[in-house]
Every structure is written in structure tokens, then in C-alpha cells.
Amino acid sequence: MKARRWLGRNAIRIYAVVAFAYLFVPVAYTLAFSFNDSGKSNISWKGFTLDKWKNPCGAPDVCPALANSLKIGVLATLVATVLGTMIAFALARHRFRGRTATNLTIFLPMATPEVVLGASLLALFLNLGVNLGFGTIVIAHVMFCISFVVVTVKARIAGLDPRLEQAAMDLYADEWQTFRRITLPLVAPGIAAGALLAFSLSFDDFIITNFNSGAENTFPKFVWVSSLRGIPAQANVIASAMFFIALLSVLFGQAVTSRKKQKG
Amino acid sequence: MADPETGGRDLRLEHVSKRFGSFVAVDDLSLTIPSGSFFALLGPSGCGKTTTLRMVAGLEEPTDGTILIGDDDVTHARPYKRPVNTVFQSYALFPHLDIFENVAFGLRRRGSKKVTAEVEAALELVELGGMAKRKPAQLSGGQQQRVALARAIVNRPAVLLLDEPLGALDLKLRRQMQIELKRIQIEVGLTFVHVTHDQEEAMTMADTIAVMNSGRIEQMGGPTELYESPTTTFVANFLGQSNLIRATVSGSDGDDLVLEVHGQKVALPSALRNGGESDLHIGVRPEKIQLVPEGAAVEGARRNVLPGGVVSDASFTGVSTQYLVRMPWGQELMVFAQNLGTGGLLRRGTTVDLHWDPAHTFALDGRLDVNAGVDRTEGVASVPVG
Amino acid sequence: MSAAQGIGIGERQTLEDPQHDRGSTAPSQPGRRRLTPYLLLLPGMAWLTIFFIVPLVTLLSTSTQTRPDGAEIGVYTQTWRFANYTDTLDEYLTVFGRSFFYALIATVLALAISYPLAYAIAFKSGRWRNLLLVLVVAPFFVSFLLRTIAWKQILADQAWVADALRTVHLLGPDGRIINTAPAVVIGITYNFLPFMILPIYASLERVDPRLMEAAGDLYASALTTLRKVTIPLSLPGVVAGTLLTFIPAAGDYINSALLGNRDTTMVGNVIDSRFLRVVDYPTAAVLSVSLMLSILLLVAIYIRRSGTEELV
């Protein structure tokens, strides 16, 4: 009886633990196999080693592909963040004709399957006779990142009290000074969030990249291609390192904001 | 102490209107606010007072009319080109800047040379000297309010606008800040234009009050004048509480008009009649009426009497007892009896006569709506008495 | 500032000043300011028009092209052959049905996993809430291809999961998980889980716990409270989450390629191979257009249905 009541009260917590297990099993596998003392193929466990962590560029093509992905990610993020932020300001702060069409154009890329986005863009490039490579990947990534930046930044602007800007103008700041000293600093966290989202989408994209990359390599593409013959453990090392960097920076960010709140 | 550069200039609104689509927020408003005065715009939500304020600040553009500060036409000037500063309703302190930088904001934009000294002086004035390095979120509501005030007055504007500045504070703090604001206004000598829906707040602080309703000014004057001799039913009901009773002029007696009120003769000094022909509403404030048991005599020379009321409710609030008295013609009148410690409470069902001094009567045009301005919420702590 | 305070202030503003909530910060300066929104929109919208709208139109045009007799592979001309659609759909109808079926099952499973999890995080986690939210997102810091490949290893014939299931006879002695439809669905479900959890969490977080207490106070059992109060109030999150899961799931082909077999082919696989390997652009275009249109149609119906449900 007691046990049943305990179970009843904690059912949802038990469920949550099981769900978290489901979420983390593949991650654990990926992390574990970064320590696998394997040869070319990294499918079965051969024993523990730190060799792959000491020499992450040991396997051919891994590091150039990673460098390429980082370059593409940074460039696409930069362009998408600037363009998306501008659109977000137009949508949140101005009334203009063609608003509905604009909103639809922002929404549609998010509602389109990646395979369609990739295929249609490739059709355009083929028709125009464009050489596929670094440039076309960046174009594609900017295209699907813009909408996510717009949505993120727009939400932040919408949450901004319009009276803050009115107060700045009331205190002798002209339009540009108001934007520079009040609006931009207050919207900055939203822009940063949009940029982070854009970077992670770009860095992890495979489908659209695969359509529009030609011979250019990226990290996901490297994983895909080598998955047919066996992925070197160095790929797991890099993925694990990225995982820890991202996790630590998020936790650090949270710690900073919660400390700020506590002080307040 | 007024700044010679900006002080000493009146704020004038001439035939100012503001329409949003078909909605008329402000309707042909003309107003002169003399330099150095504490002026209150009082009215219920949606009466146009905030829109008026925002037009003076430059945050809305008038549809028609002219706004002048001294001789300068600022009707279409951008907000940052006007010698006007605002204390916003929820303060609108910049959350990412500390208190010092919040207060320094306007000075820096105008390229002041003595930023530090002036900010420190302003923070001293509002008694927040030690808070300069804190962020707005680390201050209490009352402290934030003072920062907002310091941030505005540090610029020595010709006109300081206050948009319901105390609305977010609790009652006790609000009373304290009312006194404080008045002190600061006298100290710095700036023109304060204060928008509020709280009649008590307006009366406590302002030299002149303009009561607004539906985009127009109903009546303008000093707090006593507005309270003692309102000219419309709206003002009578919105400022304090009024008993408005139908009356007709039946003759005159020397300086008095003789009125008939539901069969009773009542005297009204002619000077106290504000408009109207023969059909009038006479008004008596609840605290001016004295309740006596039926037929009992009351000392004092001239009294108006309405007999035959029945006490239908009595609430003891400490300072006074508030009675509702049902009159023979069905109307319920309100009477406040001050708690002087003499005489007991009148029980529900007691038959009473209502007495008051004719000089405490005012009379309004009988065609006005009796219930104008009556529909507002005001919490009065009271204990019902059996 | 609490949500209630925010709402109160908003209401007062609209009463006092009808223009306010439209977000104007100051009176408009005619001329220059009227141009500003278009200048802000121009670069981004140009990008989306050239690299998203135009390609969609190109795709539409490609879908009715044919290869002239004797032409090289990969050369197509516009012949307005709408029969491309009937031909292709005849051939791939089962693939289409399978894609939507897998996506539907994966969406339902993801909802079943996500709702209780989001509920637990929103109402039962106390001071661990932020950490748990990070943990929900954390798996997705690992490259999704590697995660899917990890599933391939986990579900492999010789791995412990299959062994365990064989031991308890849930799986026959020759039974396998990898390269089956369930494996594909498990992979898809896993892949889009945060898209389901986060919107549901966001809308649950906004539900005032006092509303649930009030329901309890008014004689609603825990289950009735959930059914009549909590779930209806979190419905916007559920709608957003199911859409964000279903749309990419229906177009996915990675899970099918890595975890499935020839009989689990989804539309994405066909588009991918027709486009990149077979160089049969019209068929790939027909499939892409049909996939997109059917998804938009389903989404429109779904939004409308869930909208009316909310009103009832």
C-alpha cells in the first residue's frame, strides 16, 4: 500500500528519469567510443585509450572538414544574424505594406522539409550553372538560418518596454543615440541567442549541405561519407569536445545570469 | 532656483486636439500653465489626460492646435528637442545602466561639462546618495520612483511631466512620496504637470487642478474651489462624494434663492448657483450634513432641513461613521459623521432629520447627468455596524 | 515583473492611448521613416527571395520537364508534362504513405515522451529546473549524424538491447531491431524530441500553478485538473511541438538510410537518390513539390482543427 502510494506520487519523476535515459544513451555511446582503441572502423569496443583525444587530427580529413564547418558556420551566422535582425526590427517596429507576405516568407522555410530546401536550391544552381562549393554552402546556410534569427530577435524586441525608448528620446537622445544606447544593448541577448541558434543549425546541417556542397567537405559530410566504411574515433573525439564546450558555456552563462539575479 | 535659461516660461496649449481614427482622445483643449506651478490633470482612465501629457512630451503629435513653451512653438518638435522631461508611469529606468548612468543620461546627450557634480546633487535631492552604482532592479519601487524623478529634474526642464508617477506604489509610500514630491517641486521651482486619476493625490499636491472628461476640461481651479463649488455633476461626483438632489427654484428671499426639494423648502445663497434655469441639482457633501433624531432641534441660525430619513446602513471606519439614509422619495443619501466621541451610533432603522448650513450647498444645472463621474472604485476600509 | 503586472499595464495603456500597442515609439517623421522598414527588409528578403522563393518556382517548373529523346543524362526541357505527377505518384504512393505514417507515429511517441517530461520539469523540478532544461538540449550538442550512428550501434544485432529482448522472448532468436521499421521510428522520434519538449515546456511554464490549485479546490481530481485545465492551457505548445516534429520527420531520410532497410524507404530517400544519383530531376521535383504541398495542407487542416477545439 505504502509502496503503491510512493509510486503514484513519484510516477512522473520515474518517467522523467527514463526519458532522460533515452535522451542520453546515444550521447553516452558517442562519448564512450571516443575512447575506443579501434582501428579504422569504430563499431565494436576494443579497449580504452586516450590516444584519439591526444591526437584528434590523426585520422585523414577530419580536421580540414571541421575547420571548413567552423568557417562556414561563422560566416553564415554573421550574415544571417545581420539580415535576420534587420528584418526582425522592421517587423516589430514598423507598419508597412506587404507585412503578410513578409511573414509568410519567413515562416515557409521553417515549414519546408530540408530535403526540399536542398533539392530546390540545387535545381536553381544547376539551372544557373553555378559551381558548387564553399560559396553555395554559405548561401544555403544563410537562407535557412535567417528565419530562425528573425523569430528569436523579434520575440526579444516584442518583450521590450517601448517606454524605455520614449524615455531616452525624452532625455535628449535622438533616434540613432536611442538605438545605439538603449535598444541595441537591450535586444543584444536576443541577437546573441539567434546567432547561437544559427551557428548550431549551420554546423550540424547535413541534408541541405549534401545537396549544395559539390566536392567541398564539412564535418557532418565527413561523418556521412565515412559511415559507409567506418567512422574514425577522432570524429567522436571532436563531437564530444564540441558537446562539452557547448554544455559548459551554457552552464556558465546560466551561472552568470542567476548570480546577477541573486545580487538584485 | 529656477534655471534662467529654461525657467520662467509658461506652457500653453491652444485648441489642441488628438484623434486616433474616429476616436477623439483630446478635444479642442486650451490651457495655460504658469511657470513654477504644480498643475494636475485629473480624470478617469481614457479621459485624454495621458494623451495630453504625451503631446507635450512630443511622444504623440497633435491632430490640430499648437503647443507653446514660452514663445517657442514645439507642436511638431521631436521629443529630444524640447525642454521637457517626463517621469514615466512605470519609471522606464534603463535596466542595463546603473543609477548614476540613468541620471546622467540626459546630461551626457546634451554634452554637459559637470555631469558628476550634477548627478550627485540630484541623487542627494532625492535622498539616494549612496545608490549610484546599483542597477535599477536592485532598488525598491519607491527608490526607483525617486531615480526616475532625479533623472528628469537633473536636466532642469522648463516643464516636468509626471505620468501617474505614484501609481505603482502602495498607499503608505504613496502618501509619503506625495509630500516629498511637493517639497522637491518647491525646492527646485520647476513647473510640474502631474497626470493622475487619484483625486486625493491631485488635491494634496497641486496648486491648480484641471478635471478632464472625454477629452475636455470640465473644470479648472484650486483644490478647495473644485471641492466646495464644482460646476458640473461630473466634477461633483469625481472629486470626493456628493449628494445630488433634484430641486426647482420657487422664489427668492433676499440674497437667497428658495428651492423646493421634494416638498421641502431649502435656501440657497444665489452666488452658489452654477448655471441652470429653474431645474437644478443641489449638492451637499456627506461630511457637511448633520444627522439628528427626528424632530430634535439643532443650534445655529440658518439651517436647511430635510426630515423623515431612515438610516439604512452604518459603517464605522474609525475616523468617522458613514451612514446611508433613505429619504421619503426613495433616494439614498450619504452622511459622514466625524468620530468626536460624543453621542452614540445611530442604529439602522432610526428615523432622522438631515441638517446643513445653506452656505455648504452648491447648485448645478438640472439637465446634467446625476451619475456622471460616479462610477469609480475607491476602497474604504469599514466595519459594518448593526 | 510578474506576468499579471505586465498585462495590467498593457490594458491601461490601450485604454488611455489606443495607438500605443501598435508599437509606435514616437510620431512618425513622414518620408524618411516610411522608407526605413523597406530598407531594413531589403537585403534579407532579397536573399530569401533569390535562394528560397525562386528555387521553389524552379522546382515547380522542373517538375513538368522531360528528357528529349536522345539527349544526355541530366538534360531536361520544359514540356509542361503534368502526367509526371500521376506517373510519379502512382509509383511512389506507398513511399508517401509510409513517410507520413512514420512521421505520425514518431510525433505521437515524441508527444507521449515529451509531455510528462516537460510537465515534470515545469512543476516538479524545483531548483533543478534550469539544469534539467539544459540537459534536455544537451544531447543535441552532439552531431545528429553521430547520434543516429550511435543508435545503429545500440540497436545492432549483437548489442545488449537486442540480446536482452531475445532473452525475454520479446524478440525471436533470429529477430533483429536494426534495419527494421521500428528502428527507423525510434531514430526519428529521438531526433526531433527537443522540438517537442521545448514548446510544450514553454507553454506549461506560463500556466499559473494556482489555476491547478483552484481546480482542485473546486472538486476536480488530479486527472480532471490535467484534462480540463492544464492540457487545454498548454495546447498552443502541443500544437507548435507536434508541427515542429512532424514537418521535419516527414521529410527525413537519414534515419531510414542508417537504421532502415529497402522496405523502409521514405520520400526523402527517393528525392535524394533521384536528384543526386539517378539525375532524374523531374521525378525528384514532383516528389518535393508533392511533399511540401501535402505537408502544408496537413498543417493547415491541423491548425484549423486545433484552433476550433480550443474554442469549444
Side-chain angles (χ1 to χ4, degrees), chain B residues 95-369:
Chain B
H96 59 304
L97 302 179
D98 65 19
I99 300 310
F100 184 93
E101 284 304 322
N102 262 283
V103 178
F105 194 88
L107 295 173
R108 291 203 195 285
R109 300 288 84 69
R110 294 204 299 179
S112 167
K113 297 268 187 309
K114 314 174 281 180
V115 174
T116 313
E118 297 204 30
V119 171
E120 278 168 3
L123 285 176
E124 262 342 295
L125 182 71
V126 296
E127 292 164 359
L128 284 176
M131 304 285 185
K133 287 293 152 226
R134 303 231 184 142
K135 288 283 178 72
Q138 293 167 275
L139 301 189
S140 69
Q143 289 171 325
Q144 290 184 19
Q145 206 281 330
R146 288 169 208 230
V147 175
L149 186 64
R151 186 176 71 172
I153 56 178
V154 75
N155 301 295
R156 304 277 152 185
V159 181
L160 182 78
L161 306 174
L162 301 116
D163 184 4
E164 305 261 7
L166 309 177
L169 305 180
D170 64 45
L171 192 66
K172 213 170 161 189
L173 199 53
R174 201 151 71 210
R175 294 278 174 268
Q176 189 190 327
M177 284 304 298
Q178 284 170 6
I179 296 163
E180 197 113 316
L181 263 179
K182 184 74 191 160
R183 169 183 71 81
I184 289 170
Q185 194 262 338
I186 293 166
E187 212 171 315
V188 298
L190 299 174
T191 311
F192 278 33
V193 180
H194 177 200
V195 154
T196 182
H197 67 276
D198 180 342
Q199 42 108 5
E200 229 177 302
E201 189 174 303
M203 298 221 277
T204 315
M205 293 193 282
D207 324 319
T208 312
I209 299 171
V211 181
M212 278 190 82
N213 183 29
S214 317
R216 294 164 176 276
I217 291 181
E218 288 265 337
Q219 190 180 354
M220 199 164 97
T224 332
E225 183 192 339
L226 288 184
Y227 189 77
E228 301 298 351
S229 51
T231 56
T232 66
T233 52
F234 180 86
V235 176
N237 289 325
F238 192 77
L239 248 82
Q241 279 156 302
S242 292
N243 294 303
L244 294 176
I245 313 164
R246 282 221 158 266
T248 39
V249 180
S250 64
S252 63
D253 175 14
D255 287 340
D256 289 350
L257 284 174
V258 179
L259 308 178
E260 192 181 311
V261 177
H262 299 280
Q264 297 292 320
K265 294 275 181 234
V266 164
L268 172 78
S270 308
L272 298 179
R273 171 162 136 179
N274 284 321
E277 303 290 326
S278 65
D279 282 334
L280 299 175
H281 296 295
I282 60 160
V284 193
R285 296 290 187 181
E287 74 280 7
K288 303 280 168 57
I289 302 177
Q290 196 182 349
L291 289 185
V292 294
E294 195 176 14
V298 176
E299 45 199 284
R302 280 156 34 88
R303 303 295 285 184
N304 281 331
V305 183
L306 290 176
V310 176
V311 175
S312 57
D313 187 60
S315 316
F316 180 68
T317 66
V319 188
S320 65
T321 306
Q322 307 190 352
Y323 292 101
L324 281 178
V325 181
R326 186 168 292 281
M327 300 310 289
W329 59 90
Q331 189 178 3
E332 269 192 331
L333 299 183
M334 187 172 274
V335 179
F336 298 164
Q338 212 187 331
N339 183 6
L340 298 170
T342 56
L345 292 169
L346 292 163
R347 300 210 151 265
R348 200 185 294 169
T350 314
T351 308
V352 289
D353 295 344
L354 282 67
H355 289 246
W356 74 95
D357 184 340
H360 291 154
T361 320
F362 54 85
L364 307 169
D365 190 332
R367 286 165 298 185
L368 293 169
D369 176 11

Side-chain angles (χ1 to χ4, degrees), chain C residues 14 47 58 78 81-82 171 178 185 191 196 208 211 220 229 251 253:
Chain C
T14 31
W47 198 290
T58 315
Q78 183 59 271
R81 189 173 178 277
F82 287 97
L171 213 60
I178 193 67
V185 172
N191 229 319
M196 185 68 93
D208 188 341
L211 291 177
V229 178
Y253 69 88

Side-chain angles (χ1 to χ4, degrees), chain A residues 12 15 22-23 25-26 29 42-43 86 97 111-112 117 119 121 126-127 139 142 163 204 220 231 239 243 254, chain C residues 9 13 38 40 47 51-52 58 112 119 130 138 143-146 149 153-154 160 186 190 247 275 281 292:
Chain A
I12 192 147
Y15 195 97
Y22 178 56
L23 278 169
V25 166
Y29 253 77
N42 192 13
I43 289 171
M86 286 165 72
R97 287 164 151 293
T112 307
L117 287 177
L121 194 55
L126 289 175
N127 278 337
I139 287 176
V142 171
R163 272 171 294 200
D204 204 22
I231 300 163
F243 170 76
Q254 281 213 337
Chain C
I9 285 165
Q13 269 183 358
Y38 296 107
L40 286 172
W47 198 290
F51 301 117
F52 173 66
T58 315
Y119 187 94
N130 280 338
S143 161
F144 95 102
L145 281 177
L146 281 173
I149 286 162
Q153 286 169 278
I154 296 163
W160 59 273
I186 287 176
Y190 180 80
I247 293 169
F275 226 112
Y281 300 139
M292 192 169 167

Side-chain angles (χ1 to χ4, degrees), chain C residues 32-142:
Chain C
R32 209 188 72 189
R33 267 180 84 85
R34 220 177 302 154
L35 262 176
T36 320
Y38 296 107
L39 291 175
L40 286 172
L41 289 173
L42 187 68
M45 293 312 284
W47 198 290
L48 284 179
T49 307
I50 299 170
F51 301 117
F52 173 66
I53 304 287
V54 172
L56 280 186
V57 176
T58 315
L59 194 71
L60 214 56
S61 132
T62 310
S63 70
T64 53
Q65 292 179 356
T66 50
R67 181 143 65 106
D69 289 331
E72 268 182 79
I73 288 180
V75 174
Y76 294 90
T77 52
Q78 183 59 271
T79 53
W80 302 108
R81 189 173 178 277
F82 287 97
N84 278 356
Y85 278 84
T86 45
D87 291 357
T88 307
L89 292 182
D90 266 353
E91 191 178 349
Y92 291 108
L93 200 61
T94 41
V95 176
F96 249 94
R98 189 183 296 131
S99 294
F100 284 114
F101 181 66
Y102 286 178
L104 182 71
I105 301 282
T107 306
V108 171
L109 282 176
L111 182 61
I113 293 166
S114 302
Y115 200 95
L117 189 60
Y119 187 94
I121 296 174
F123 298 121
K124 305 276 175 191
S125 60
R127 62 203 191 86
W128 299 105
R129 183 198 277 208
N130 280 338
L131 184 70
L132 291 182
L133 272 180
V134 173
L135 288 184
V136 165
V137 192
F140 302 86
F141 296 151
V142 173

Side-chain angles (χ1 to χ4, degrees), chain B residues 15-19 23-31 40-44 46-52 55 209-220 232 234-235:
Chain B
H15 305 288
V16 171
S17 295
K18 176 69 185 178
R19 287 183 287 276
F23 175 75
V24 184
V26 175
D27 191 3
D28 193 30
L29 188 86
S30 292
L31 187 64
L41 276 173
L42 173 67
C47 72
K49 57 188 193 300
T50 294
T51 307
T52 306
M55 287 192 288
I209 299 171
V211 181
M212 278 190 82
N213 183 29
S214 317
R216 294 164 176 276
I217 291 181
E218 288 265 337
Q219 190 180 354
M220 199 164 97
T232 66
F234 180 86
V235 176

